[in-house]
Every structure is written in C-alpha cells, then in structure tokens.
C-alpha cells in the first residue's frame, strides 16, 4: 500500500519542524483561531513513485502558475487551527501536487477525513511567493504567514505606515535587528486577506530584496530556507516592535540606536544594506 512518509523519508523532518513551529506560534499568541499558515516546497524530496500514487481528485486554482507546474508543497489547511497541527498534522495539513499546466492540484498526503479539505485561504500569496522564489532559483523554500501582535500594532501607528520609517524604527530598537535583517522588511499597505492583490503586493515587497513583507494591520509573510529560520526572523522583528511600544509607553521619544551606531554595525558585521 502507498505510504508517502515511508516512500519519502525526507518529508518527516519537515513535518516535525512544522509541528514544532505551530506550538511556538500558539505560545507566542501569533496564531489565534485559524490564523497563520505555512507552505514548504518539498519537490526535491518527493519520489516518482509518489506522483503515480496520487489522489485523482483535482481541485482548481483561481489562477495558473505554470512556473510551479509539477511541484509539491506541504501546506496548512484553511479553517484549521494552527495549534492543532502540533499534534495532528495529517488532519490539518497536506502535501499537494500542482498539475503539469499549473492550473489544478491534488492531495498526495494529509487532509484526512475531510473530502473538502482546502489549503490555506492565503494560498494565492504562498503560490505567488513560491513562483517568485523559483524565478530566482532561490534557496528559500519556506513561506510563513502569522500574526505577530506588536508588529501589527506598530503598523496601526501613522508614523510607521512608511517602509523606511518602519525599518529605521525596527533597526533602532536592538542591534540584532540590523545584523540579522540588514535590508529591513517590505511594507504592504493594508489589502484584503486572501486576495490576488495582496499576493502581488507581497511579491513586489520581496522583490525589493526583503526577507519578509509586513502586511499592515494584519501580519507578516516571512521567507526562509528552514522553518525555524522563518520563525526566528518574525521573532526578532516582533521583539523590536515590543521594545518600540514599551519605550513609547514609558513616554520616551527616541529612535534608539543612532545612525552612527547602525553604521558601525554595518562595518563590524560586513552587512549589505
Ligand atoms: O489563515 O491568517 O490571513 C488565516 C489567515 C488569513
Ligand atoms: Zn492572516
């Protein structure tokens, strides 16, 4: 009998990291109800055999993604609680396969006991980002969307509704931010969730050489090679946002690290900014 996890032993570590991540996101308070979603391009660890054994039920995509034709993704399910993923991935996530024309997909694993299982409502954004990553032959294969509370709160403040101002504030909060995110984040003005407009604006932000796109008044999309790398990126940015808000709450109007201190970090750590 066909068993994807047995046929493709390389998949298990990715599913384990996904489960570990879902626990962290829940603990952080960044994955309320069904918030947050994840996709991982696992094409290079799926064997030929698995493709043949695929579920024949094809599901339409709203758009065509010819550059993703034939690729495989781990994807979390729409309407599913991220926190449930930690202990039951087969019911709350799936591995899906895009058709050779990139217009439909079918499940090859997971989505168990739910004939209507659908990937995340933000799948349009995930697919556009993966398309962008493939166009660049990038090493990144993980796309994470979550709702980091303080970072979202920051985007409610008019003074940070500007990419340059937001990045200057985040870098000023703590030296680690400049060291680990030297090019800063992209800022996507508020756009309705799940839309193609949001997907395209996210790619436009990543195209400006940012590893993450902050969705104003909604959340963030982070791109990374490893699941934990995506989590660490969001964690670092949200820590900076916490510091900025604490400082404001204490009545201190300071940009934190000054320009000379940031320039010193660029020099000391040979940063490309
Ligand atoms: O997964 O976070 O943006 C639900 C959402 C929509
Ligand atoms: Zn969201």
């Amino acid at each position: 009998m066909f068993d994807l996890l047995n046929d493709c032993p390389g998949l298990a570590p990715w599913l384990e990291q996904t489960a570990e991540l879902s626990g962290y996101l829940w603990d952080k308070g960044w994955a309320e109800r069904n918030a947050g979603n994840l996709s991982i391009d696992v094409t290079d660890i799926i064997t030929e055999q698995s493709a043949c054994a695929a579920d024949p039920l094809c599901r339409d995509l709203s758009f065509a993604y010819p550059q993703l034709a034939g690729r495989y993704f781990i994807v979390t399910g729409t309407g599913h609680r991220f926190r449930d993923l930690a202990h039951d991935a087969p019911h709350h996530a799936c591995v899906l396969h895009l058709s050779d024309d990139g217009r439909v997909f079918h499940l090859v694993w997971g989505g168990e006991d739910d004939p209507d299982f659908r990937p995340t409502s933000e799948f349009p954004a995930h697919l556009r980002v993966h398309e962008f990553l493939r166009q660049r032959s990038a090493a990144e294969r993980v796309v994470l969307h979550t709702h980091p509370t303080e970072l979202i709160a920051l985007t409610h403040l008019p003074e940070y509704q500007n990419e340059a101002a937001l990045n200057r504030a985040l870098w000023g909060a703590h030296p680690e931010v400049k060291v680990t995110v030297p090019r800063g984040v992209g800022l996507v003005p508020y756009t309705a969730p799940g839309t193609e407009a949001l997907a395209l604006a996210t790619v436009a932000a990543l195209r400006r050489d940012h590893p993450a796109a902050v969705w104003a008044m909604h959340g963030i999309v982070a791109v990374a090679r490893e699941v934990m790398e995506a989590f660490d990126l969001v964690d670092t940015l949200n820590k900076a946002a916490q510091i900025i808000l604490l400082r404001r709450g204490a009545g201190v109007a300071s940009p934190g690290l000054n320009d000379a201190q940031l320039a010193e970090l660029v020099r000391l750590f040979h940063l490309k900014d």
Side-chain angles (χ1 to χ4, degrees), residues 27-30 148-154 169-170 173-174 177 234-250:
D27 289 346
K28 287 279 186 186
W30 301 344
T149 315
E150 287 82 3
L151 199 51
I152 296 169
L154 218 53
L170 292 168
H174 195 287
V177 186
V234 181
D235 197 23
T236 303
L237 293 166
N238 196 65
K239 171 70 161 263
Q242 282 177 319
I243 293 168
I244 294 164
L245 294 174
L246 282 170
R247 194 176 59 206
R248 283 175 70 106

Side-chain angles (χ1 to χ4, degrees), residues 197-220:
L198 181 56
L200 296 177
T202 304
V203 170
L206 297 179
R207 215 177 274 288
R208 297 194 291 274
D209 243 357
H210 301 298
V214 172
W215 290 353
M217 297 185 276
H218 178 161
I220 189 168

Side-chain angles (χ1 to χ4, degrees), residues 98-182:
L98 258 66
S99 59
D100 287 343
D101 59 5
R103 286 180 179 278
V104 298
F105 67 90
H106 54 221
L107 305 192
V108 294
W109 180 86
E112 280 181 12
D113 302 327
D114 180 2
D116 296 323
F117 183 94
R118 299 278 309 175
T120 164
S121 58
E122 298 294 358
F123 203 34
H126 285 259
L127 287 172
R128 287 292 176 220
V129 172
H130 283 294
E131 188 177 58
F132 163 71
L133 293 173
R134 294 285 54 79
Q135 281 164 359
R136 294 198 155 187
S137 304
E140 286 80 1
R141 59 162 88 191
V142 175
V143 178
L144 168 66
H145 165 59
T146 188
H147 295 175
T149 315
E150 287 82 3
L151 199 51
I152 296 169
L154 218 53
T155 67
H156 283 254
L157 306 180
E159 67 200 87
Y160 302 122
Q161 288 167 358
N162 162 299
E163 194 170 284
L166 178 65
N167 282 314
R168 181 61 185 83
L170 292 168
W171 289 327
H174 195 287
E176 279 302 303
V177 186
K178 186 66 186 170
V179 172
T180 58
V181 199

